[in-house]
Structure formats: C-alpha cells, structure tokens
Amino acid sequence: MSVIEKLKSESMKMRKARDPLASKLVFALSEIDKVGKNNGNRETTDDEAIKVVQKIIANIDQTIVLLPANSAVEYDLTREKSILNSVLPQMASDEEVRNYLLASFVEAPANKGVIMKVLKEKFGALVDMKRAGQIATELYGV
C-alpha cells in the first residue's frame, strides 16, 4: 500500500470518528496532490509523497521546539507527527546502505555523485541522502 493510500485510509478513519486532527491529514493529502498537479498535471509519485510527508514532519519538529512544554498544541502536533510517521515506509538502514554500496562498487568510484545516483535509483526517497553521503565517505573516501 502506497503512502498516499495509507494517508487516505487514516484520514477517512479520523473523519468518521470526527477527530479534530483529520483536517491536518486532509491538508497533507492536498500538499501531496499539489506536487503532481504543478508538475505536468499528473499523479504524484510515492517518492514525492514521502518527501512531502517528511517535510511536514520536519516543520512540526521546528514548531514543537518553539512551544511551551506540555501545551495542548504540542500534544496535537506530537500526535499528528506520530500519525504521519506511521504512514511512512521503513527507511533504509545504515547497514542496508553499506551492504548495497559494498556489493555495487568493488573499487572507489571517480566521484561521490556516482554513488549518490546509484543509491537514489535503488532506494528512492527511502534513504537519508545526508547519512548515505557520510557512509560513502567512510567506505570510499570520496
């Protein structure tokens, strides 16, 4: 089941239960839908949807830091973040990235861009590219 389908399903459950946070999921779905519409009037891909959800989660994290501890708004944002995290697929672990790189490259590639391209093709949005770059540097010194 794709991220979009999971989010739609969760949104529908919350709306039926008249949960006040249901509107937050509807907003997330509209933001996801906007990506495809603004880029050739097409359906949004799962990788694009993952990136949108990750961005919303990052924005929630930034907001929570600014709020007083134990406030009602903080509780709602934490709950929203939890729901959004639950629809995301499991990210590639450091070990998976390391094993894939070791299997893909016998010797160090000419530059880091080659490594990052291969990782992006394999894992898509399911890899933390910053951390993957650090692993590539550890393994190949590029």
Side-chain angles (χ1 to χ4, degrees):
M1 184 182 273
S2 76
V3 170
I4 298 169
E5 291 168 345
K6 288 179 186 177
L7 199 54
K8 283 181 180 178
S9 172
E10 192 64 34
S11 171
M12 185 60 71
K13 279 191 254 176
M14 290 178 74
R15 285 186 286 163
K16 284 181 180 178
R18 299 200 189 281
D19 191 314
L21 288 182
S23 64
K24 303 288 186 174
L25 297 187
V26 172
F27 169 77
L29 284 166
S30 70
E31 289 297 305
I32 289 169
D33 199 34
K34 225 189 291 186
V35 172
K37 295 281 185 210
N38 291 341
N39 190 1
N41 200 24
R42 59 173 175 74
E43 292 293 319
T44 305
T45 66
D46 212 35
D47 276 352
E48 291 169 333
I50 291 168
K51 288 178 185 176
V52 169
V53 172
Q54 289 171 334
K55 177 131 177 78
I56 292 170
I57 290 170
N59 289 340
I60 289 171
D61 286 338
Q62 289 175 348
T63 304
I64 288 174
V65 170
L66 302 173
L67 294 172
N70 300 322
S71 68
V73 175
E74 179 190 23
Y75 174 77
D76 286 346
L77 287 173
T78 304
R79 196 165 148 245
E80 179 185 356
K81 178 182 170 185
S82 173
I83 293 166
L84 290 173
N85 274 323
S86 73
V87 300
L88 287 176
Q90 183 67 35
M91 298 294 283
S93 69
D94 287 0
E95 192 63 31
E96 288 175 301
V97 171
R98 189 172 280 109
N99 290 339
Y100 184 73
L101 287 176
L102 291 172
S104 298
F105 298 103
V106 177
E107 54 188 58
N111 62 40
K112 196 180 217 176
V114 173
I115 296 171
M116 301 311 274
K117 181 179 178 187
V118 167
L119 286 173
K120 195 69 167 170
E121 289 171 357
K122 168 67 175 164
F123 296 107
L126 298 178
V127 64
D128 178 357
M129 293 305 278
K130 183 176 180 181
R131 181 65 188 130
Q134 294 168 345
I135 293 170
T137 302
E138 291 170 14
L139 292 176
Y140 301 111
V142 292

